[in-house]
């Protein structure tokens, strides 16, 4: 079965043919043995050949699907090493996405339109994936604007780990009034008479924000399955073929995992998921971990759905909250006792784990526990473990992580929170948040992800743009060139490094015979598109295990069918997910970036002239003036 003309390739006998051949592509394989190719063949979910078009001639049979990439760039399927994919899938069709929306005015218009179709008893919720800095207005919506857009429908708008904004109907729905106490670590902002205004603050814990969101209606089992399938298709839209689910708050095991388990059983996952387990109740963590280690083992499952360990919290007392608009929180004294019990339990049962750790102060305390256990031979012990986030990790801590056999997973949270981080910690700290080069220089496995969906967007190309340029979604340059990575390194952080975190480096992450048939054909050439174009890359075709799970453009319709989005009033049904910028706008962004680069270069040239006495501080000519400007 040919998707596009196969150029007259000679068929082979059926027992030797491929199920799928992608040809006429500029393939970046990620394989040092053969970095570039034109074509790849897949049979029974596994790559059987990588080479030139002529190498595929004998692999085309009557039933082979042939995709002509028309000279476009193809890369290994992307692997988000820190994505809350299970939780995101359960809620996807309920959420109005502001990901990629360029103006607050447009966001409020979408909200008003959605409120008009949302039935009584349901909410309009905007839950992460955006920042005020991405808007032309550079501000949050006001409570008054939410009330005007949706006077009778509850509206909940989450902004990063910092705040949530509720309209009057939402405040009534959740029951917050004058007598509602502020929870520990959170603040209900009040007016002069003590009445809640509609603004909730993480101070610094986001538990208030998430517990308020948890009061909203949820989907039944049938709709959860539809929602998850559409969320996975949305991830496939950006070339994602794998993700490591980082669990997180309000994600209970096993009940919140049942949807992906049922989809895996039915063969309906379009994304490979390695998941973690996160104790949800403070004081009960050791009991939960003990029960889980007796129920399941790491790597239980198959190549589509498998357990990868515990975390990203092991004990709640060890968590460090990362609202960069607030000072760094002090962790509880003496948390190490229970934390050590958790780590010892996991290491003894062969479990890996991941740890949410934003600040070096937290990382140093955790490392002290690991070094104590290392004296007993538990570290390095062959268990895969890592720190997540690590924005302010020190060089000394990185040395200790390397010595103990750990790894690091970084996310582009500062794409969305970079301005707040800069205001609190200054340009020096922001330049090294996180210290990517120092991590890589120590030969640590450094995987990349998004931490979507409640802060960053799930669009991996926004994260790749941040890795390469150091710029936020508001176009603020935070990380200088010495702490950026080249495009090939960034891509490896989204492919091979993620595979290493799940112990699958010999099965996925590169395009090589014997590896999974996971790849994507892109709308733009990632290696040559201007920097400003990287966030706007999407997939035209995404293949997972030889299955075409997403297709767009001239390939539209060759992917697997999905049931329609339900419920009928779902925001996704009308607006979709991530809002792609029109082509004309993308050209404007590129032009603006070129002008910005030119201005930066001109400024640097002037500073060079000042240092050498060739110009005055104000721009006037120095002793050796330029006759054009003196």
């Amino acid at each position: 079965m040919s998707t596009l003309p196969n150029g007259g390739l000679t068929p082979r006998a059926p027992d030797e043919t491929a199920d799928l051949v992608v040809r006429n592509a500029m393939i970046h394989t990620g394989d040092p043995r053969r970095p570039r190719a034109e074509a790849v063949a897949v049979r029974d979910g596994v790559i059987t050949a990588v080479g030139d078009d002529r190498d595929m001639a004998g692999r085309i049979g009557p039933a082979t699907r042939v995709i002509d990439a028309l000279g476009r760039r193809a890369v290994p399927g992307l692997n988000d090493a820190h994505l809350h994919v299970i939780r995101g899938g359960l809620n996807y069709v309920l959420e109005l996405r502001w990901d990629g929306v360029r103006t607050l005015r447009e966001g409020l218009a979408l909200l008003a339109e959605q409120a008009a179709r949302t039935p009584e008893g349901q909410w309009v919720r905007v839950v992460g994936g955006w920042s005020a800095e991405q808007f032309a207005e550079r501000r949050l919506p006001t409570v008054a604007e939410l009330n005007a857009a949706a006077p009778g429908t509850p509206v909940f708008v989450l902004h990063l780990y910092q705040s949530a904004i509720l309209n009057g109907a939402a405040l009534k729905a959740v029951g917050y009034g004058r007598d509602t106490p502020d929870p520990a670590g959170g603040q209900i902002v009040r007016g002069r008479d003590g009445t809640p205004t509609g603004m909730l603050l993480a101070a610094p814990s986001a538990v208030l924000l998430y517990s308020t969101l948890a009061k909203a209606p949820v989907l039944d089992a049938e709709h959860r399955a539809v929602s998850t399938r559409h969320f996975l298709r949305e991830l496939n839209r950006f070339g994602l073929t794998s993700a490591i689910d980082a669990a997180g708050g309000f994600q209970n095991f096993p009940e919140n995992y049942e949807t992906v388990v049922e989809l895996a059983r039915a063969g309906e996952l379009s994304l490979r998921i390695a998941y973690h387990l996160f104790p949800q109740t403070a004081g009960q963590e050791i009991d939960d971990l003990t029960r889980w280690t007796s129920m399941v083992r790491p790597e239980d499952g198959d190549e589509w759905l498998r357990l990868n360990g515990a975390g990203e919290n092991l004990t709640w007392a060890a968590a460090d909250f990362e609202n960069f608009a607030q000072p760094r929180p002090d962790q509880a004294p003496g948390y190490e006792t229970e934390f050590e019990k958790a780590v010892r339990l996991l290491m003894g049962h062969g479990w890996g784990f991941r740890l949410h750790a934003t600040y070096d102060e937290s990382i140093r305390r955790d490392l002290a526990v690991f070094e104590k256990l290392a004296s007993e031979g538990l570290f390095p012990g062959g268990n895969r473990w890592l720190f997540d986030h690590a924005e302010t990790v020190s060089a000394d801590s990185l040395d200790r992580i390397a010595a103990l056999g750990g790894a690091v997973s970084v996310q582009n949270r500062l794409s969305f929170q970079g301005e707040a981080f800069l205001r609190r910690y200054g340009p020096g700290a922001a330049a090294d948040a996180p210290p990517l080069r120092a991590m890589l220089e120590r030969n640590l496995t450094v995987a990349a992800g998004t931490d979507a969906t409640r802060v960053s967007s799930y669009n991996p190309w926004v994260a790749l743009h941040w890795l390469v340029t150091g710029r936020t979604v508001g176009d603020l340059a935070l990380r200088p060139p010495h702490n950026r990575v080249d495009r090939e390194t960034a891509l490896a952080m989204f492919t091979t490094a993620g595979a290493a975190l799940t112990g699958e480096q010999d099965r996925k992450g590169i395009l090589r015979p014997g590896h999974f048939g996971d790849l994507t054909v892109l709308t733009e050439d990632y290696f040559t598109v201007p920097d400003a174009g990287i966030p706007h890359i999407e997939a035209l075709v995404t293949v997972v295990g030889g299955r075409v799970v997403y297709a767009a453009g001239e390939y539209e319709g060759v992917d697997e069918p999905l049931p329609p989005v339900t419920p009928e009033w779902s925001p996704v049904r009308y607006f979709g997910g991530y809002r792609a910028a029109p082509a004309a706008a993308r050209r404007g962004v590129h032009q603006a970036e070129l002008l910005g680069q030119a201005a930066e270069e001109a400024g640097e040239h002037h500073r060079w002239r000042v240092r050498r006495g060739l110009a005055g501080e104000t721009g006037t000519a120095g002793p050796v003036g330029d006759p054009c400007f003196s």
Side-chain angles (χ1 to χ4, degrees), residues 457-475:
S457 171
Y458 50 75
N459 181 348
W461 300 102
V462 174
L464 283 156
H465 176 260
W466 170 79
L467 289 168
V468 169
T469 70
R471 290 182 176 273
T472 70
V473 294
D475 204 34

Side-chain angles (χ1 to χ4, degrees), residues 359-373:
Y359 303 102
D360 190 55
E361 290 83 350
S362 311
I363 292 171
R364 290 201 306 266
R365 290 180 68 175
D366 293 348
L367 286 171
V369 173
F370 301 162
E371 287 165 343
K372 175 183 176 182
L373 297 179

Side-chain angles (χ1 to χ4, degrees), residues 520-543:
T520 183
V521 180
L522 305 176
T523 54
E524 304 283 349
D525 184 354
Y526 164 68
F527 291 103
T528 61
V529 69
D531 285 350
I534 295 176
H536 305 294
I537 293 173
E538 296 188 20
L540 283 169
V541 177
T542 300
V543 176

Side-chain angles (χ1 to χ4, degrees), residues 325-452:
Q326 295 278 334
R328 180 187 67 80
D330 292 324
Q331 292 166 287
Y335 79 74
E336 286 87 349
T337 301
E338 288 298 298
F339 181 72
E340 180 184 330
K341 290 179 183 178
V343 176
R344 187 183 296 277
L345 173 67
L346 294 170
M347 296 297 284
H349 284 81
W351 276 51
F353 58 88
R354 64 191 312 154
L355 290 172
H356 173 110
T358 300
Y359 303 102
D360 190 55
E361 290 83 350
S362 311
I363 292 171
R364 290 201 306 266
R365 290 180 68 175
D366 293 348
L367 286 171
V369 173
F370 301 162
E371 287 165 343
K372 175 183 176 182
L373 297 179
S375 66
E376 303 176 25
L378 293 179
F379 284 85
N383 303 39
R384 292 187 302 274
W385 68 272
L386 64 130
F387 282 112
D388 275 307
H389 314 313
E391 276 89 354
T392 70
V393 65
S394 65
D396 176 66
S397 292
L398 290 176
D399 290 335
R400 296 164 70 189
I401 294 168
L404 292 166
V408 183
S409 175
V410 299
Q411 300 79 41
N412 64 311
R413 303 191 305 176
L414 293 195
S415 285
F416 297 85
Q417 301 181 94
E419 287 81 1
F421 188 96
L422 177 68
R423 286 191 291 270
R424 179 156 298 280
Y425 297 108
D432 286 326
L436 299 177
R437 280 290 175 192
M439 295 173 180
L440 294 168
E441 287 167 359
R442 286 160 173 80
N443 293 318
L444 287 165
T445 295
V446 184
T450 61
D451 200 9

Side-chain angles (χ1 to χ4, degrees), residues 169-237:
L171 280 175
K172 182 178 179 180
V174 299
Y176 291 167
R178 293 184 186 180
D179 299 328
T180 305
D182 287 349
Q187 180 186 354
I188 301 172
V189 179
R190 305 169 194 273
R192 295 186 185 91
D193 63 354
T195 302
T197 64
M199 178 70 74
L200 309 180
L201 299 180
S205 168
V207 171
L208 170 62
L209 314 183
Y210 294 168
S211 60
T212 303
L213 177 60
K215 297 176 185 292
V218 297
L219 295 167
D220 60 26
E222 180 181 355
H223 286 118
R224 287 197 297 269
V226 172
S227 179
T228 297
R229 291 188 68 185
H230 278 275
F231 184 49
L232 300 185
R233 178 66 62 92
E234 175 76 352
L235 298 177
N236 300 148
R237 168 189 167 191

Side-chain angles (χ1 to χ4, degrees), residues 118-179:
T118 300
E120 184 176 355
Q122 291 290 343
W123 294 19
V124 178
R125 50 198 108 182
V126 180
V127 185
W130 66 281
S131 166
E133 302 297 337
Q134 80 191 39
F135 293 147
E137 298 91 338
R138 304 281 178 168
R139 66 173 180 87
L140 300 176
T142 65
V143 174
E145 287 170 327
L146 298 189
N147 284 330
T153 303
V155 173
F156 177 98
V157 176
L158 178 69
H159 184 239
L160 310 176
Y161 291 127
Q162 298 178 9
S163 59
I165 311 165
L166 284 66
N167 70 346
L171 280 175
K172 182 178 179 180
V174 299
Y176 291 167
R178 293 184 186 180
D179 299 328

